[in-house]
Amino acid sequence: MSAILKDQGMQFRPIRITDLPEILAIERSAYEFPWTEGIFRDCLRIGYCCWLIEQNQRIQAYGIMSVGAGESHILNICVRPDERRRGLGRKLLDYLITLARRHNADTALLEVRPSNRAALGLYKSLGFNEVGMRKAYYPDKQGREDALILALAL
């Protein structure tokens, strides 16, 4: 299953194991504390919803989501740093939410750093609401940073 983003000549498609070198390069350029190759491999092996947006055989963004027991959990959304502020994160998140609904999830959950104002703005604009906090969830230069837990009723 893939979908074309007609307005920009881009397409959604499932992540393949052969995409991991490019995804890892993006992950490392985007985050100070990136996911490891092992984490991505485990997500693919377990069968999580692992999708990307591609244009001209270049990965622009990717997302990883688990779905089960009526819940979807968006685990990772990343847009290539040089492609940010073009609406790709919103398109990818909309796509993952659509997939969650197709899998009969009634709630979408995610964690976000309180310091990540851009991501918070995006999530809130799509209807996500703060439902909790995980203390010392994310690694940080000064030790650990809390995570806000956001939820969207599907």
Side-chain angles (χ1 to χ4, degrees), residues 102-146:
R102 286 184 192 163
H103 284 68
N104 299 314
D106 55 24
T107 306
L109 296 164
L110 58 81
E111 288 87 16
V112 62
R113 291 175 185 266
S115 61
N116 190 343
R117 295 287 175 212
L120 268 171
L122 170 63
Y123 301 145
K124 290 191 177 196
S125 76
L126 289 170
F128 280 85
N129 295 297
E130 187 176 334
V131 295
M133 182 182 295
R134 296 189 198 283
K135 289 285 191 189
Y137 185 76
Y138 289 110
D140 185 86
K141 282 183 183 176
Q142 287 77 37
R144 307 291 294 181
E145 182 176 359
D146 296 341

Side-chain angles (χ1 to χ4, degrees), residues 12-127:
F12 290 103
R13 71 164 174 81
I15 293 173
R16 299 183 290 249
I17 200 85
T18 56
D19 296 318
L20 289 186
E22 187 174 359
I23 285 173
L24 287 166
I26 296 167
E27 182 82 2
R28 290 177 186 133
S29 72
Y31 298 118
E32 191 170 357
F33 299 94
W35 275 19
T36 64
E37 181 175 353
I39 294 170
F40 283 104
R41 285 181 177 277
D42 285 347
C43 290
L44 289 167
R45 181 182 50 79
I46 292 167
Y48 286 170
C49 296
C50 302
W51 287 82
L52 58 78
I53 297 176
E54 182 177 61
Q55 181 180 35
N56 301 324
Q57 283 122 30
R58 183 176 187 240
I59 297 169
Q60 304 292 327
Y62 54 87
I64 312 289
M65 176 179 69
S66 67
V67 183
E71 272 184 9
S72 68
H73 194 152
I74 298 164
L75 303 169
N76 189 335
I77 288 197
C78 185
V79 176
R80 184 183 287 276
D82 60 336
E83 296 294 336
R84 291 185 178 156
R85 309 211 45 87
R86 294 183 46 216
L88 295 174
R90 179 178 300 275
K91 286 179 169 127
L92 183 57
L93 195 53
D94 281 339
Y95 193 73
L96 291 175
I97 290 167
T98 298
L99 289 175
R101 285 184 176 120
R102 286 184 192 163
H103 284 68
N104 299 314
D106 55 24
T107 306
L109 296 164
L110 58 81
E111 288 87 16
V112 62
R113 291 175 185 266
S115 61
N116 190 343
R117 295 287 175 212
L120 268 171
L122 170 63
Y123 301 145
K124 290 191 177 196
S125 76
L126 289 170

